[in-house]
Amino acid sequence: MTDSSNTMWGGRFAAGPDAIMEAINASIGFDRRLARQDIEGSRAHAAMLAAAGIVSSKDAEAIREGLLTVLSEIEAGVFPFSTALEDIHMNVEARLKEVIGDPAGRLHTARSRNDQVAVDFRLWVRDQCDAADGALAALMRALLAQAEAGADWVMPGFTHLQVAQPVTWGHHMMAYVEMFARDRGRFADARRRMNESPLGAAALAGTSFPIDRHMTAEALGFDRPCANSLDAVSDRDFALEFLSASSICAMHLSRLAEELVIWSTAQFRFVKMSDRWSTGSSIMPQKRNPDAAELIRAKIGRILGATVALFTVMKGLPLTYSKDMQEDKEQVFDAADSLMLALAAMTGMVGDMTANPDVLRAAAATGFSTATDLADWLVRALGLPFREAHHVTGRLVALAEGRGCDLPDLSLSDMQGVHPGIAQAVFAVLGVENSVRSRTSYGGTAPDQVRAQIARWKEALA
């Protein structure tokens, strides 16, 4: 017979309310990822306590050495994590006492779990900013290699996914270099702003012990201590900024992934994805599915979802710490994992993909892609106002469309029937190669401009 007192809790929590409270309160299931940062912060704190005369040098050294022992156990996968001890901080401290005895009890002098978790989490997010920066640099190098190989390859540029004007493959690749460079800037900017140490803010009001917060800040690689103890323990802007930068970066990855999905179709054939980043079909033997690109395209959902989730957690919290903040880490951990995986996969795909220059060039020559070049020639050669040149070009496009041909296929007499001033020289601007070579303005698609940008970025990434 089922115990009616436990029916409401379900089978998982047969022990009743106490089991549910332990489950909802414990964070060790996920915050164990902060172990290295927790021990790093504790070792810095112990050294400062000794320097300030708050604990003896002997006890501080025992604490610092004992923490290294605990860290080695965690890294070896033999550490006995306990849900009953709630979090990584209490798990480490309890094990430290087993390793070194009574001196372990002095470690928590002049600090609280509030400033402890704040410094651990900040250190972890700072590390993720550095990791994202390195991964983005690797992706940019892969794009630069593609750009350099195809600086002269002509392809269609699109607006509304309709053929607009010819561009070069190198120019298209370099557009993503610029995007991902901005992402690096956002992570670097967020890192600079988060690089203040909460350690020593204690529970919320600081401490009466004569601590040296500048010493611990320097030991942990921070620029300075946080200037307000209330803000120090309650701030999660650093996590929100990391998530925001990650969301924008994931959006850029999704845009590139979408292009790779489209370009690898039989209808486009712009690129061929390597077997390493494609899968087959369980029923259709001819299929080569760009699964890696599609999964990258989907990662924005998880990362942006994490961003919205943490904003929602934080939006109504009064100063200072509230247990709600325990819900900050899983979102950030998942987003960081998703971003790093997506960056690594995209770097691999870009490095391995093979463009098809002949198909790119043929596609660039369709859709009246040199119409703007024709309009520009009418302005330069005949002195027409651009709006009139635009109108004349539109009539010529309509004429070519009606005949089922492209602009270069019209005869000179056909063109002069629309505007008598058009001369044979117009045909020099209608080829797609001529079109891209003419776009010599700074940042334009002309191969020389593309190579200049490639050289600039190669030097910057060196």
Side-chain angles (χ1 to χ4, degrees), residues 261-282:
V261 169
I262 293 172
W263 289 354
S264 62
T265 61
Q267 290 72 27
F268 270 73
R269 297 187 299 115
F270 284 6
V271 299
K272 181 179 180 181
M273 310 301 295
S274 77
D275 290 342
R276 294 204 305 163
W277 307 104
S278 307
T279 64
S281 166
S282 63

Side-chain angles (χ1 to χ4, degrees), residues 374-428:
L374 174 55
D376 289 346
W377 184 88
L378 292 169
V379 171
R380 287 195 307 270
L382 304 184
L384 298 184
F386 183 80
R387 286 303 170 199
E388 184 180 346
H390 186 283
H391 177 71
V392 170
T393 302
R395 290 179 61 194
L396 288 168
V397 167
L399 178 62
E401 192 171 33
R403 295 188 179 179
C405 66
D406 206 346
L407 286 171
D409 301 318
L410 292 174
S411 68
L412 179 59
S413 61
D414 289 334
M415 293 190 180
Q416 289 175 337
V418 174
H419 193 289
I422 297 176
Q424 185 67 34
V426 73
F427 290 97

Side-chain angles (χ1 to χ4, degrees), residues 124-146:
W124 191 92
V125 173
R126 190 179 70 181
D127 289 344
Q128 295 307 302
C129 286
D130 292 340
D133 180 78
L136 281 162
L139 176 54
M140 290 169 68
R141 291 188 185 97
L143 288 161
L144 281 171
Q146 285 284 353

